[in-house]
Amino acid sequence: MMKKHILSLLFTCITSISFSQIHEIGFFVGGSNYVGDIGSTSYISPNSIAGGLIYKYNYNPRMAFRGTYSYLPTKGDDANASNPYREQRGISFTNTIHELAIGLEYNFFEYNISEHKTSFTPYILVEAAAFSYKKPERIDLNGNIILRNSISYALPFGLGIKGLLSGNLAYAVETKFRYALVDDIDYTGPYYAPNNAAINLDFGGTDNDWYMFTGISIVYTFGRPACYTDAR
């Protein structure tokens, strides 16, 4: 019995050595959008070109750890809102988010592009992220909002599908939602003019902002592990 178990384990390791590839590195491109106190409230409605870089470590055929850098232009315009109040208000803004995220990708099916039967799977992902953006600091003598760089955090989650493209190349189509731990990506909040009078730019909500990405990634797979871990 023990002999059979050892032979089975060796076969699994040899198979992993022969076929599995543990690293993936590449880029992604698509569209970003925002949901908050200005503009549209549609969660999947890309309105800016976005992109970034991605690295994945395939822990086993069901799980991959991943890290990403994302460049996410963000904007909102009340002209695109379906809410009559926002349409009449007519406010707009633009911001740019630079995000670093790490997390876990879980495959619904075993995934290994070296074998045709395991070369496609849907997946879900959960991450933690830090991002930089422009935050209002004060209002100058001319009534202009003065911005400064700020760092905050977000809780991204999403879903996608991935599969073999050709050779060592794989693709993924993904939508990712980020719940930001701030409410001023759209510049909302109380700020102070030179006469120390508070100017409240409350655009109608106190909930935290969301920002999203929808797009496609292309990755190159390489590296052969000694054996996938038994954790699945």
Side-chain angles (χ1 to χ4, degrees):
M1 186 71 179
M2 180 62 69
K3 183 178 179 180
K4 289 183 178 180
H5 179 74
I6 292 173
L7 289 174
S8 177
L9 180 60
L10 286 174
F11 177 78
T12 301
C13 292
I14 291 169
T15 301
S16 294
I17 293 170
S18 300
F19 299 108
S20 62
Q21 292 170 312
I22 198 169
H23 302 287
E24 300 179 31
I25 189 167
F27 68 93
F28 54 89
V29 65
S32 59
N33 66 289
Y34 136 99
V35 171
D37 301 321
I38 298 174
S40 172
T41 55
S42 297
Y43 282 86
I44 304 179
S45 182
N47 56 24
S48 299
I49 297 175
L53 303 174
I54 186 168
Y55 166 76
K56 298 181 187 181
Y57 175 85
N58 292 297
Y59 182 66
N60 64 37
R62 286 295 184 95
M63 291 190 296
F65 297 107
R66 56 185 273 170
T68 58
Y69 161 73
S70 302
Y71 169 76
L72 303 165
T74 306
K75 63 182 180 181
D77 190 334
D78 282 343
N80 300 319
S82 57
N83 181 311
Y85 168 74
R86 292 192 180 189
E87 287 182 320
Q88 294 176 4
R89 183 180 59 182
I91 298 174
S92 63
F93 84 97
T94 60
N95 211 329
T96 300
I97 292 173
H98 297 271
E99 179 196 82
L100 292 175
I102 57 173
L104 174 68
E105 194 173 286
Y106 181 80
N107 304 321
F108 284 93
F109 310 131
E110 290 197 356
Y111 181 69
N112 180 355
I113 65 168
S114 297
E115 298 184 28
H116 178 72
K117 65 180 181 181
T118 60
S119 62
F120 174 85
T121 184
Y123 63 90
I124 58 174
L125 65 98
V126 291
E127 294 177 300
F131 66 93
S132 67
Y133 68 111
K134 296 292 186 180
K135 175 186 177 74
E137 184 176 50
R138 59 185 175 85
I139 296 176
D140 68 12
L141 290 169
N142 298 317
N144 300 313
I145 300 175
I146 305 302
L147 306 175
R148 65 177 174 87
N149 289 322
S150 184
I151 294 176
S152 189
Y153 304 94
L155 302 175
F157 58 92
L159 53 89
I161 56 172
K162 61 184 178 180
L164 173 64
L165 186 61
S166 177
N168 282 23
L169 295 177
Y171 73 92
V173 179
E174 178 178 292
T175 295
K176 186 159 67 171
F177 306 85
R178 284 90 157 177
Y179 176 71
L181 302 184
V182 292
D183 185 33
D184 57 3
I185 292 174
D186 50 18
Y187 309 151
T188 186
Y191 308 109
Y192 291 88
N195 60 4
N196 290 325
I199 298 178
N200 188 17
L201 301 180
D202 183 356
F203 301 138
T206 58
D207 294 334
N208 289 353
D209 297 327
W210 292 77
Y211 59 100
M212 281 66 68
F213 170 82
T214 302
I216 185 168
S217 64
I218 304 295
V219 297
Y220 176 78
T221 68
F222 63 98
R224 300 184 184 278
C227 182
Y228 271 128
T229 179
D230 288 335
R232 297 190 179 184

